Amino acid sequence: MKLFSSKAFDSRIKSANTTRSEKWLGYFLGPVGAATLNFTVVSYLNVFYTDVLDLTNAFPWVAAFLTLFPIISKIIDAITNLLMGQIIEKTHSRQGKARPWLLISAPLMTVAMILLFMIPKEHSIWQIVLVALTYNIFFSFAYTIYNMSHTLMVPLSTTNVKQRDGLSLFSNIGGNMLPGTVVALVFPAVIMPMLGADYDKWVLVMSILAVLALPFTLIEYYFTKERVTEAAHSVGEVKNVSFREQLKACFSSKYWIMMVVYMLMFQIMSNIMTISLPYFCNWVLGKYNDGTTQALLSVVGKAPPGFRRIHSVAAGEEVRQAQGHDRWFPYGSCSRRALPDQPQEHAGDAGRLPDLCTRFPALLCLHGIDGGYAGLRGI
């Protein structure tokens, strides 16, 4: 990719070790923009379809369509995730193999987000076609490019396990806590009452949100660094492993399979809960856009049943629950402790894991929450 040979695209991070600005800007602040777009679309796009565009009254079969087409789109999304993973793996540039795609994804997500809410109000079969088309442009194309490259940044940032754990923690908090707060509290309490079912207001607000997300992704690009990729190229360690071999290696690990099944179940239930929340508020409790009902339900419903304590994650310690001794693994970071049947010399060495093992969690994110911790009880 000759375009990225210019020094203008160089990372602002020059240190051989992770820095404070890298953590706070590249991994904490940077992911906020894309995550906010993703959370907003997952939470409120169906509301736009049903309450603003009134699609359910356009044709008798639209309700079934709105239920089934996201499932079909997820299959397309899974395929594009695999393809994007292979594209990233074959990318060679001065800026690394994942970072260039972060930069490319920034304007793509902005445009795709605006297109999602530019569906014309006039009921016709073309309206349904545009719904399916723009939905897949965002989730199966633009957001896939960002999500795959973003997910790989932590394992490509450094081979130091302690530093990688720290970056993973910052990335998970920045990509979940901040945008989650905005979407779960600020949107239903402030923005939704203002929008109502006014088409023009929805288009305006979502377009502004799409534009505001752009500089955040640029910050993530300029304040991250692929030290692992640079080191591999400097010593000529470029080893190509076939997709088939990677797949075989992944499925040979029962813990990897447990992680995949757990995340798949979690994402399905999480998406069902997120999409149904506004309708539950509207039909059972009150109204989702009255400024209080949905925000209050989000606060109460997501309040932790107990306190969890984190023992110096940045220093490489395990994350444990307050009432037990379960080990938790930041699934996006590929920073792993030794498992019972795993030789100690392989502990935490993500560089020896197949590339597919680092990419597949992103595939499972479909278009849901990216980040968090996947817990394995009894390990």
Side-chain angles (χ1 to χ4, degrees), residues 170-207:
F170 274 80
S171 180
N172 282 313
I173 294 176
N176 287 279
M177 186 178 71
L178 294 182
T181 301
V182 171
V183 175
L185 299 181
V186 177
F187 253 80
V190 179
I191 299 179
M192 294 302 291
M194 179 186 66
L195 296 182
D198 190 305
Y199 175 83
D200 294 331
K201 290 181 179 179
W202 272 81
V203 173
L204 176 62
V205 170
M206 295 304 170
S207 298

Side-chain angles (χ1 to χ4, degrees), residues 159 161 164 253 329 334-354:
T159 56
V161 176
R164 188 178 290 164
S253 170
F329 299 82
C334 296
S335 346
R336 296 167 170 79
R337 301 287 179 272
L339 300 176
D341 58 352
Q342 182 183 21
Q344 188 67 31
E345 61 267 20
H346 294 309
D349 189 357
R352 301 182 188 179
L353 293 172

Side-chain angles (χ1 to χ4, degrees), residues 218-239:
L218 296 180
I219 290 173
E220 182 176 2
Y221 169 79
Y222 278 108
F223 287 91
T224 52
K225 183 178 178 67
E226 291 187 32
R227 298 176 181 84
V228 175
T229 305
E230 293 175 1
H233 282 293
S234 65
V235 296
E237 294 181 4
V238 181
K239 182 180 179 181

